Amino acid sequence: MGSAGTDDKDPLVIFTPSGKRGRFAKGTPVLQAARALGVDLDSVCGGRGICSKCQITPSFGEFAKHGVTVHEDALSEWNEVEARYDRVKGLISGRRLGCQAKVLGDVVIDVPETSQVHRQVVRKEASTKPITMDPATRIVMVEVAEPDMHEPSGDFERLKDALAQQWDVHQVSAALPVLAKLQTVLRKGKWQISVALFQPDEGGVAQILEIWPNLHEGGIYGLAIDLGSTTIAAHLCDLTTGAVMGSAGIMNPQIRFGEDLMSRVSYAMMQEGGATEMTRAVREAINTLAGQIAEDAGIDPKLIVETVFVCNPVMHHLLLGIDPVELGQAPFALATSDALRLSAPDLGLSTLNPQAQIYLLPCIAGHVGADAAAVALSEAPEQSEDLVLIVDVGTNAEILLGNKTKVLACSSPTGPAFEGAQISSGQRAAPGAIEHIEIDPATKEPRFRVIGCDLWSDEAGFAEATAQTGITGICGSGIIEAVAEMRAAGLLDGSGLIGSAEQTGTPRSIPTGRTHEYLIFDGTATGGPRITVTQGDIRAIQLAKSALYAGARLLMDQMDVEAVDRVVLAGAFGAHISPKHAMILGMIPDAPLEKVTSAGNAAGHGARIALCNRAARKRIEGGVRAIQKVETAIEPRFQEHFVAANAIPHKTAAMPHLTTVVSLPDVNFGASGGGANDDGRRRRRRG
């Protein structure tokens, strides 16, 4: 059988969402390839096709991002073991068993979340900030007049009369499924019924979404969904009280078509039916997520009568079933940028109530989406007295800069490195993943914490506390802190080069080819992973943080300012990365550290505001027109800022606030070393 890297002519196997890849001899089982690469693919039956935990989804077509074309015969044909399992228990369409499918050609293989040993921890928790309740859907109870032979009228007409008299609602409509059960419900309730009334505009037309006999005490619910490039996060909210009944998330299955947005646009362009395939995948995932979150909360999903979506423009179009091809080329035209009002059947969301209403926040511009609008709704930069920079970091960063005078917005393509992807030991946030790290500047020894354990690795009881999860890899917050700590400890110079053992004074700096890597943890003696930060990891983080900084700096240019008063870090990143590490890395412009704060999941909170307050929908629909859009893809200065930001923390920008907190070593591990020495000299002069 095969092993990774056997021969350049052997088939290339690429696993998503991890991004891990290797070449394997033809006939290698997918499960074996996954284990050789350290891919998180479950199996407990020893590869006999019994447990089904190793299910995978192969993808076919042209993948420009990965530089491969996957043919239909890239895997061995369906065998009797798979056929038997499908007959007995059923396999989801398109799935294969990793222990049975064998590699025959270049292939891209997605490992669905259900097949991963270490499931992702959703880090987009609901904000606790208060929301004024004024939902578009409410429950009202009415007493309907009984039919009278002397005054003939239909039951629905008498229901409308009751709503007008008892609730001052004068324009009412109902879909056929509601009308079909109206007579039964009325008589069961002895002419008293509860009505879920959807009225998006005060005094406007109301739609009856659901009816129940007598008083309905089961409540009605809505979903606020942040549809991200990497993660789909949802909050289930009580539409009467606004209480969050549950939060859950899953990975966006579109990752297998490309980790970043432009890769997905490219897939849609080059693969016939590619956009349709991605639309189907994300809608299926949303249906699954809705069912999961309702089940966890002990709620009938048919009581979910509203859903609000926020997403970037590419996700927006693919959710709607619109080909995103125009978003892949200037002038980046959206099919529509307005807010949209739809129903659950329009998006194939069969898990919800059949009459459930869908609201999509407006997009701001070609690459500045409804997620940025949601952040603006949550953080209200237009009401700020001081100049605030709001950064919502994900695979695509949404950046807002403004105050009461004006607000600017842009989107910056940071890529998936901040999510732990494209990192040698990287993984999604899951129990066992390193999330925080410190490196002693004197000894160069690391200590770390993993998700699921509050102890540091050098504290008593750590080994016992992590025995079940193990130490499995490093997630996005961990790799960001690791790079910043390496810079502060003198393991990394200003240009991003890792020094040798002789240069750094630690055997943890290990040669690998022409570069070096820093060893954080070696668990190979007990069958665990070897976790390092490689030169390639540093470059991936440099590219991501440079794009983020360049976007922020571009907005500052447009505002004609050299500094901001405060910085708000939003998203999963914002809640888990310390301001000091963000500043050392040079992700954000220099600012007083006490003025760098976390807003948590601002986009998700904005979605909840729109779900629970119909006036907020009007406010953001008007507000996006006042936001000035800056398109990074066509701004010449973006590239200038990007190149200068490649240094850690920055090649030219002054960092006066950072230097009061930390003194970065003046080290240079390259041949010329200008960048690092320049940084050091500038810092000494300012001191």
Side-chain angles (χ1 to χ4, degrees):
M1 292 300 182
S3 60
T6 55
D7 190 320
D8 286 347
K9 295 180 181 178
D10 286 335
L12 177 64
V13 183
I14 301 166
F15 286 96
T16 64
S18 67
K20 293 180 178 179
R21 59 174 61 201
R23 292 191 177 276
F24 295 86
K26 288 184 179 181
T28 303
V30 169
L31 178 60
Q32 183 177 327
R35 286 175 171 170
L37 293 172
V39 172
D40 192 16
L41 179 58
D42 203 356
S43 177
V44 297
C45 71
R48 291 178 293 160
I50 298 172
C51 71
S52 83
K53 293 182 178 294
C54 67
Q55 291 184 32
I56 50 96
T57 305
S59 295
F60 306 100
E62 189 168 349
F63 293 84
K65 167 79 175 180
H66 302 304
V68 297
T69 299
V70 182
H71 300 288
E72 295 288 339
D73 59 356
L75 294 181
S76 59
E77 292 185 3
W78 185 271
N79 68 14
E80 179 52 36
V81 175
E82 291 172 296
R84 183 187 68 232
Y85 184 86
D86 188 43
R87 284 195 305 271
V88 177
K89 296 185 178 179
L91 271 175
I92 295 173
S93 178
R95 292 268 181 96
R96 297 289 304 271
L97 296 182
C99 62
Q100 301 300 312
K102 297 179 179 179
V103 176
L104 299 180
D106 293 349
V107 65
V108 175
I109 293 174
D110 181 59
V111 180
E113 189 171 19
T114 51
S115 299
Q116 295 172 24
V117 182
H118 304 96
R119 306 289 172 80
Q120 182 176 12
V121 174
V122 176
R123 313 189 88 177
K124 295 188 175 182
E125 296 89 353
S127 168
T128 56
K129 289 192 290 187
I131 298 173
T132 302
M133 292 301 294
D134 179 26
T137 304
R138 56 184 171 142
I139 292 181
V140 298
M141 190 174 179
V142 292
E143 188 166 344
V144 180
E146 296 185 38
D148 186 339
M149 289 183 63
H150 301 291
E151 296 182 17
S153 67
D155 284 353
F156 182 57
E157 285 65 40
R158 281 180 280 103
L159 172 57
K160 289 196 291 185
D161 290 342
L163 287 167
Q165 293 163 12
Q166 297 166 38
W167 292 96
D168 200 28
V169 176
H170 297 277
Q171 300 180 74
V172 181
S173 67
L176 183 58
V178 173
L179 291 175
K181 61 182 178 182
L182 176 61
Q183 293 190 307
T184 301
V185 172
L186 277 171
R187 284 152 182 82
K188 186 176 181 180
K190 295 182 171 48
W191 308 101
Q192 287 188 337
I193 67 171
S194 296
V195 177
L197 207 61
F198 173 71
Q199 193 173 24
D201 302 300
E202 185 73 37
V205 177
Q207 181 179 346
I208 297 174
L209 303 183
E210 189 59 273
I211 53 175
W212 300 269
N214 300 311
L215 176 64
H216 172 68
E217 296 182 292
I220 54 172
Y221 303 90
L223 282 174
I225 298 180
D226 179 3
L227 173 52
S229 308
T230 301
T231 304
I232 308 173
H235 305 300
L236 179 66
C237 304
D238 186 314
L239 289 180
T240 302
T241 65
V244 177
M245 309 303 294
S247 297
I250 56 176
M251 283 186 294
N252 188 331
Q254 294 174 343
I255 288 174
R256 70 177 184 265
F257 305 106
E259 290 173 324
D260 57 80
L261 296 177
M262 286 303 99
S263 294
R264 294 181 206 176
V265 173
S266 175
Y267 186 81
M269 287 177 173
M270 304 181 72
Q271 187 70 22
E272 185 176 353
T276 302
E277 193 177 356
M278 287 186 280
T279 294
R280 181 173 58 251
V282 78
R283 289 181 179 179
E284 287 175 355
I286 293 165
N287 269 314
T288 299
L289 179 59
Q292 172 192 326
I293 196 171
E295 181 181 353
D296 291 347
I299 289 167
D300 180 356
K302 299 307 177 187
L303 292 176
I304 300 175
V305 294
E306 271 203 83
T307 298
V308 167
F309 283 98
V310 300
C311 42
N312 62 57
V314 174
M315 294 299 95
H316 175 276
H317 279 34
L318 289 173
L319 172 65
L320 294 172
I322 299 172
D323 194 322
V325 60
E326 293 299 332
L327 294 172
Q329 55 200 359
F332 314 110
L334 288 154
T336 177
S337 58
D338 287 344
L340 293 176
R341 293 167 177 81
L342 308 165
S343 66
D346 291 333
L347 299 184
L349 301 184
S350 56
T351 305
L352 315 181
N353 186 288
Q355 311 309 316
Q357 298 298 294
I358 310 294
Y359 179 78
L360 275 77
L361 269 71
C363 290
I364 297 175
H367 281 299
V368 188
D371 45 2
V375 172
L377 186 57
S378 173
E379 298 305 306
E382 76 284 355
Q383 298 175 21
S384 177
E385 295 287 350
D386 55 5
L387 186 62
V388 58
L389 177 72
I390 305 168
V391 182
D392 189 355
V393 181
T395 308
N396 215 53
E398 312 296 334
I399 308 172
L400 299 167
L401 176 67
N403 52 23
K404 283 187 171 181
T405 305
K406 64 179 176 180
V407 178
L408 307 178
C410 75
S411 177
S412 197
T414 51
F418 289 149
E419 306 279 354
Q422 296 182 344
I423 301 299
S424 61
S425 298
Q427 67 167 87
R428 305 297 174 190
I434 295 173
E435 63 171 340
H436 294 297
I437 185 168
E438 293 178 352
I439 299 175
D440 188 306
T443 66
K444 318 297 185 190
E445 286 296 301
R447 66 195 292 257
F448 54 83
R449 282 171 51 187
V450 301
I451 296 173
C453 179
D454 292 331
L455 297 173
W456 286 88
S457 58
D458 59 351
E459 291 182 317
F462 175 81
E464 294 77 8
T466 57
Q468 187 171 358
T469 63
I471 300 164
T472 56
I474 188 164
C475 69
S477 62
I479 191 64
I480 290 167
E481 291 195 8
V483 176
E485 286 284 318
M486 287 172 68
R487 180 71 183 94
L491 295 160
L492 193 69
D493 69 16
S495 72
L497 278 176
I498 301 173
S500 66
E502 292 75 21
Q503 290 170 318
T504 61
T506 175
R508 286 184 175 272
S509 187
I510 300 166
T512 171
R514 299 175 63 183
T515 60
H516 295 85
E517 61 184 10
Y518 175 72
L519 178 65
I520 296 176
F521 172 77
D522 189 352
T524 54
T526 56
R530 182 174 178 274
I531 299 172
T532 64
V533 178
T534 69
Q535 191 65 65
D537 297 339
I538 300 292
R539 293 301 182 221
I541 291 297
Q542 282 179 291
L543 292 174
K545 75 98 176 180
S546 297
L548 184 62
Y549 183 96
R553 185 66 233 190
L554 196 60
L555 295 189
M556 292 167 66
D557 289 348
Q558 297 285 332
M559 194 73 83
D560 196 23
V561 296
E562 288 297 319
V564 299
D565 296 317
R566 59 189 176 96
V567 179
V568 175
L569 301 175
F573 157 80
H576 294 274
I577 299 296
S578 73
K580 183 180 83 168
H581 289 107
M583 202 76 76
I584 292 172
L585 198 57
M587 297 179 71
I588 52 176
D590 189 71
L593 288 192
E594 68 274 12
K595 293 288 188 178
V596 183
T597 59
S598 168
N601 182 15
H605 186 67
R608 284 176 54 219
I609 293 173
L611 177 67
C612 296
N613 187 293
R614 56 186 172 177
R617 301 182 187 184
K618 295 290 185 186
R619 188 164 70 248
I620 195 59
E621 287 171 25
V624 295
R625 299 188 186 99
I627 296 174
Q628 297 180 31
K629 304 86 179 173
V630 177
E631 183 53 70
T632 57
I634 59 175
E635 285 286 344
R637 293 214 66 191
F638 179 82
Q639 190 62 27
E640 295 176 31
H641 290 312
F642 180 87
V643 172
N646 261 241
I648 301 175
H650 197 277
K651 186 176 182 180
T652 56
M655 293 279 186
H657 295 103
L658 177 62
T659 56
T660 65
V661 178
V662 61
S663 178
L664 299 180
D666 182 15
V667 293
N668 179 359
F669 304 133
S672 58
N677 286 336
D678 287 350
D679 269 351
R681 283 195 295 271
R682 274 193 293 277
R683 281 194 293 277
R684 287 196 298 274
R685 283 202 299 271
R686 287 199 302 274

